[in-house]
Amino acid sequence: MMTVKSTSRALQSASGATLTFDDGSTAIDLCSGGFGHGQREIVAAVKAQVEAMPLSNRVMITPVLASLVDKIAQLMPGELSVSYICNSGEESFDGALKLARGANPDRDQVVVVSGSHLGCLSYGQYFSQSGVSLDYLPLRPVFVEANDSKALASAITAQTLAVVYEPVLTQQQLLPLNEDFLTTMRTLSKSTGATMIAYEVNTGMGRCGRNFATELTSVVPDVMVIGGALNAGCVPVGGYVTHKALNDLVYGKQNPSLHGSTTGGNPASCVAALQALIALESQGVANRQTQIGAQLVSSIDGQASCKQAGSLVYVTLKNAAQAKAMKLALAEAGLLVATRGHELHLTPPLMISDSELAQACATLSKVIKQVNVKEAA
């Protein structure tokens, strides 16, 4: 197998977790997450829909959109049952905040659990820590530390528009939010009228060992934002799911174009998402993610400390320089990983094959020992 060199190459094709570049070199992708490329049954279903009708007028419902939202409702915990389908997780998050604003138009404070990967609000944390004014933003983010119920109680007030979080933090650390913290969030959100929004773009679709990481506790939010691997590796798609009472409060008996998306909910993307959800149920995707993560951790063989949540594995190294050296060495050996500071972040596709995983583990084990030896020499 020819492996990818560290110099830049153009990506030409992908299958499963394997990327092929224009010079013929290949690499196994452990950094992009997602569903996995080229799943035959899914590709065939999307092709058939593209031939029949890939796009449609958003005002007119299609059978596949109806089937998708029905399947989502079947898989959701609690009373989450009303879906808004659009083009990406970030667009879904914007839609969820707009939904919250519709319920409380005079509020602008958003309480954010630090370490959550939440697009613009994560950047808001960076800017606020740097002393840059956020006066130009339509929302005011207030950040609280994970699993600090006392700080959360102080932050959520009658002026809070929404409380947003990842059930398992993925931005700065890999950390599940505990039941007590989320119960406090649920109670305070209900008493103040704030909208509780779970961002599951990175942690949903089986990634953390449950269909959605929200199911790791008994606490159900007002809105769940989904996306990422929902696209089945084929067509961009995202959505949010809420309960009927909140949806009706904001959009009931009103023109649905109040919140529109030109290509959101198109038939091709709906087919991809529906097939991804069918695979999630029928192929035991959630259970397999825990096994994938355990194999990756085992391949480290005690050379560094690891944190695992399903197939997400964060490896802590000595410093940022060693993490960078490890990333480059792994790329030379045909394995692509991400780094953040002194950590390696391993996020394989959900559908990585057994052979691809075995090869990735062998490469990881070999390279991490070599780099540690080099550092110690």
Side-chain angles (χ1 to χ4, degrees), residues 98-122:
K98 186 175 179 180
L99 180 70
R101 195 66 175 267
N104 288 291
D106 297 326
R107 302 185 187 187
D108 63 358
Q109 182 197 74
V110 179
V111 174
V112 185
V113 178
S114 294
S116 298
H117 189 286
L118 299 168
C120 62
L121 290 180
S122 293

Side-chain angles (χ1 to χ4, degrees), residues 55-272:
L55 297 175
S56 68
N57 188 316
R58 181 59 186 262
V59 176
M60 302 180 69
I61 194 168
T62 60
V64 69
L65 175 58
S67 296
L68 173 59
V69 298
D70 182 58
K71 174 60 72 175
I72 291 172
Q74 292 173 24
L75 293 173
M76 284 292 125
E79 296 182 357
L80 298 176
S81 60
V82 180
S83 297
Y84 171 74
I85 307 301
C86 54
N87 299 295
S88 69
E90 294 309 318
E91 185 181 342
S92 305
F93 185 44
D94 289 345
L97 291 172
K98 186 175 179 180
L99 180 70
R101 195 66 175 267
N104 288 291
D106 297 326
R107 302 185 187 187
D108 63 358
Q109 182 197 74
V110 179
V111 174
V112 185
V113 178
S114 294
S116 298
H117 189 286
L118 299 168
C120 62
L121 290 180
S122 293
Y123 290 110
Q125 182 177 26
Y126 168 77
F127 288 132
S128 62
Q129 290 175 342
S130 302
V132 178
S133 171
L134 296 176
D135 292 341
Y136 62 92
L137 293 178
L139 302 174
R140 295 186 299 112
V142 175
F143 296 89
V144 297
E145 291 302 313
N147 296 327
D148 187 340
S149 296
K150 185 176 180 180
L152 188 67
S154 298
I156 299 176
T157 71
Q159 294 304 310
T160 301
L161 171 69
V163 187
V164 297
Y165 66 99
E166 285 186 300
V168 176
L169 306 183
T170 65
Q171 179 77 351
Q172 299 170 346
Q173 57 184 327
L174 193 59
L175 177 68
L177 299 183
N178 64 47
E179 182 101 19
D180 288 345
F181 181 74
L182 289 171
T183 299
T184 299
M185 185 187 295
R186 176 70 281 171
T187 301
L188 292 170
S189 296
K190 186 174 182 179
S191 65
T192 61
T195 301
M196 186 172 167
I197 302 173
Y199 185 89
E200 288 251 32
V201 172
N202 301 310
T203 60
M205 294 298 295
R207 176 66 68 186
C208 293
R210 299 288 191 276
N211 284 346
F212 299 94
T214 293
E215 297 172 299
L216 293 170
T217 71
S218 63
V219 181
V220 180
D222 296 308
V223 187
M224 185 189 294
V225 175
I226 55 178
L230 183 66
N231 64 25
C234 288
V235 186
V237 64
Y240 71 69
V241 194
T242 187
H243 52 80
K244 188 175 186 299
L246 179 55
N247 181 76
D248 288 354
L249 174 65
V250 179
Y251 295 117
K253 299 180 180 179
Q254 298 187 63
N255 188 331
S257 65
L258 285 173
H259 183 54
S261 175
T262 301
T263 58
N266 66 76
S269 67
C270 287
V271 166

Side-chain angles (χ1 to χ4, degrees), residues 10-34:
L11 182 61
Q12 189 171 49
S13 63
S15 176
T18 302
L19 309 180
T20 300
F21 298 85
D22 59 355
D23 64 350
S25 63
T26 61
I28 294 177
D29 180 7
L30 292 190
C31 65
S32 298

Side-chain angles (χ1 to χ4, degrees), residues 303-326:
Q303 297 294 312
S305 63
C306 299
K307 293 180 180 179
Q308 179 196 352
S311 59
L312 297 175
V313 175
Y314 289 7
V315 184
T316 302
L317 300 176
K318 297 174 183 177
N319 49 51
Q322 189 184 61
K324 182 178 180 180
M326 189 76 68

